[in-house]
Amino acid sequence: MTTTARNRMRLLVPAALAALAVSATTAAAPSSSATTAEHSITSHSHQAPAKSPKAMLDAWLRLWNGDFTQASGIISPDFTVHAALLDGGDGSSIRGADGLVAWIAQTRAVFADLRFSLQVDPLVAGHRASVRWTATGTYAGGFPGAKAAPGTVVTFTGTDTLRIRNGKFVEYWLNSDTLQLLTQLHAL
């Protein structure tokens, strides 16, 4: 497998599987078809950190639904990811807001209309938040090994757990149904 194929596999599934929400209405936030230059959050003005977990989770969902301007307001520079990636990695190479935005942007290139919605209300306890979500999107092609035709609609689920410090997310654990997604893409 080529390095490009491994990188695409490493980035695609976990990013597509990661979203939090606190209301189904926020799932209708407009998606972004921004250029690569717009994916960098360092050019955006820094927003004040969200104060409540609800506001942070709303912004998290908008971020995964394509509003990259949310990243600087909710993602700590120390942000780290814990996820089982398709290439065998553990997500540790995804760091800070810029790393997360790049990960999301690469996913959205394969599922440009990807929409995340809340399946179960979030649980918030102390400095941690967790939620069960559903994602639906139209496959655009380009996933290594996938035999599904572009235009195939896929739906998959997962659970995100995040640790909050000083009004920003600093750590992220992803548990997603990769088998469900790969089966729909005919990649098994």
Side-chain angles (χ1 to χ4, degrees), residues 1-152:
M1 182 178 294
T2 68
T3 300
T4 302
R6 277 193 304 273
N7 285 340
R8 185 159 233 169
M9 286 176 66
R10 175 182 65 88
L11 296 171
L12 173 65
V13 173
L17 306 174
L20 287 175
V22 292
S23 72
T25 57
T26 22
S31 66
S32 172
S33 58
T35 64
T36 303
E38 293 170 345
H39 294 312
S40 171
I41 57 89
T42 55
S43 64
H44 296 291
S45 62
H46 290 278
Q47 302 170 0
K51 299 297 181 196
S52 75
K54 179 187 181 333
M56 292 177 67
L57 295 172
D58 280 338
W60 177 259
L61 178 67
R62 288 191 306 272
L63 173 63
W64 283 102
N65 279 335
D67 182 358
F68 300 125
T69 64
Q70 299 300 310
S72 64
I74 61 168
I75 304 300
S76 167
D78 301 327
F79 181 81
T80 59
V81 174
H82 307 281
L85 305 178
L86 289 176
D87 68 354
D90 62 3
S92 62
S93 64
I94 302 164
R95 294 274 203 204
D98 284 331
L100 180 62
V101 167
W103 193 32
I104 295 168
Q106 287 189 352
T107 297
R108 297 188 69 77
V110 178
F111 299 101
D113 66 345
L114 192 60
R115 304 304 301 159
F116 292 91
S117 60
L118 183 66
Q119 195 176 50
V120 175
D121 288 339
L123 301 171
V124 178
H127 297 288
R128 289 192 169 53
S130 186
V131 71
R132 177 78 175 165
W133 48 260
T134 298
T136 301
T138 306
Y139 177 54
F143 187 87
K147 296 177 184 91
T152 299

